[in-house]
Amino acid sequence: MIELINSIRKYNFWDANPVDTGYRRTAYTDKIGQCIGNKLIKVLVGQRRAGKSYILRQIASKLISQGVKSENILYINKEYMELITLRSVIELEELYKAYLQELKPEGKVYLFIDEIQYIEGWERFVNSHSQDFAEPCELFISGSNSNLLSGELATLLSGRYVKFEVFPFSYTEYCGITEQEVGINSYKKYLQSGALPELFNLSGDEMKQNYISSIKDTVMLRDIVSRYKVKDIKLLDNLFVYLVNSAANIVSVTNIINFFASKKRKTNYETLSTYITYLENSFLVHRAERYNIKGKDTISGNCKFYLNDLSYRNYLYSGYGYGLGYLLENAVYLSLRRAGYQVYVGTIKDAEVDFVAIKGDRKLYLQVTLQLTEEQTVEREYRSLKLIDDNFDKYVVSMDDYKIPTNEGIEHLSAWNLDKVLGS
């Protein structure tokens, strides 16, 4: 194991190694930083290649800048070739002991384990070391499956972890990394590209297309097919294409069954429901349930699905003819989720409200439309919000490059100013 420790030296901050920490994502590091200094396990979840590894390294770097010795930080990424043989909790424990023997850290150890779900029995290691009073250890772990902390594990670690969901770059981060000014021109480019961090190191649409295709295939094969023993891989892929095509539209499993039937493809409710759950668990898509605004409860059945990143539509399935309005609604959904809101599709009387966003005791209602240049559009978009008789904030978000006056308490927002309002 000492040899293995030496092989991962280049990935750690020991010996003043220059470690790539990427573009600073302060929205995450500041939020996580508020939870450092206790025995809570910090858990980062999110789609593969959304930037979890960079955020972990940024936290480690920040700790060092605050006076933590580099030898007190161990960073392990299960996807590195050097750690391909690291498969069980016993081997993980041996690696940790070898690190303690080789580096001889004094005081608290800060342990970062990336893509921890590939280590069988990892939860026993985390549970044990997070509560070790003799050799204090603060743990930061990441995974690419939303069920990382489900079932028995959630019970085992109940009250002893805090979870952060990592999304691709926000519009604010996009402007930062591309050095563009906030406004309609850069926001259009944002909608028509993608926000996975590695995209910004690539040049040319063909290279970006190949990268996004490889990401999708890797998520499908490693995080879904291999994990869940999926038999009909073609159906899984076709289902994802269908959800990309239907994003921002109300759909049901019955709709999907009928669609595949029209293509002479037989399937059933249970299989499709299960496959949709797999796509959600791997963070490729997100479900927005319908919400009864008057009754203040969710409505089972039909719902909407949104993509975790617009690059899947823009680089892989751009031939469906959807315009900016489709992309804008998806982008607004992601902005709300990044800001920590639970997001629903609202219904009131015979009208639909694009988003009901809830965080703690705060609630927002939002309508999303491309432009408010026609009187009919203004009447339609404001009508559903006017039906809501509570005092929570109501917004119409559009791509109009001017401020529309407040209408019966309903504020207008240009889409590129949404992050500022949400504080994300």
Side-chain angles (χ1 to χ4, degrees), residues 284-302:
L284 283 175
V285 299
H286 301 279
R287 182 194 303 255
E289 300 280 5
R290 294 168 72 216
Y291 181 88
N292 184 329
I293 294 173
K294 284 289 187 182
K296 299 180 181 179
D297 57 3
T298 57
I299 305 170
S300 60
N302 298 353

Side-chain angles (χ1 to χ4, degrees), residues 307-348:
L307 304 178
N308 192 56
D309 190 69
L310 297 179
S311 59
Y312 297 114
R313 184 269 180 192
N314 290 327
Y315 293 116
L316 300 186
Y317 310 112
S318 59
Y320 291 118
Y322 286 98
L324 282 178
Y326 157 92
L327 298 170
L328 175 60
E329 185 174 330
N330 204 132
V332 170
Y333 172 86
L334 292 174
S335 290
L336 291 166
R337 288 294 309 277
R338 280 191 198 91
Y341 286 87
Q342 295 296 314
V343 185
Y344 306 91
V345 178
T347 62
I348 183 166

Side-chain angles (χ1 to χ4, degrees), residues 4-20:
L4 192 54
I5 289 295
N6 288 329
S7 72
I8 63 172
R9 276 184 175 273
K10 59 186 175 183
Y11 303 121
N12 279 271
F13 292 85
W14 316 326
D15 310 319
N17 280 344
V19 176
D20 181 15

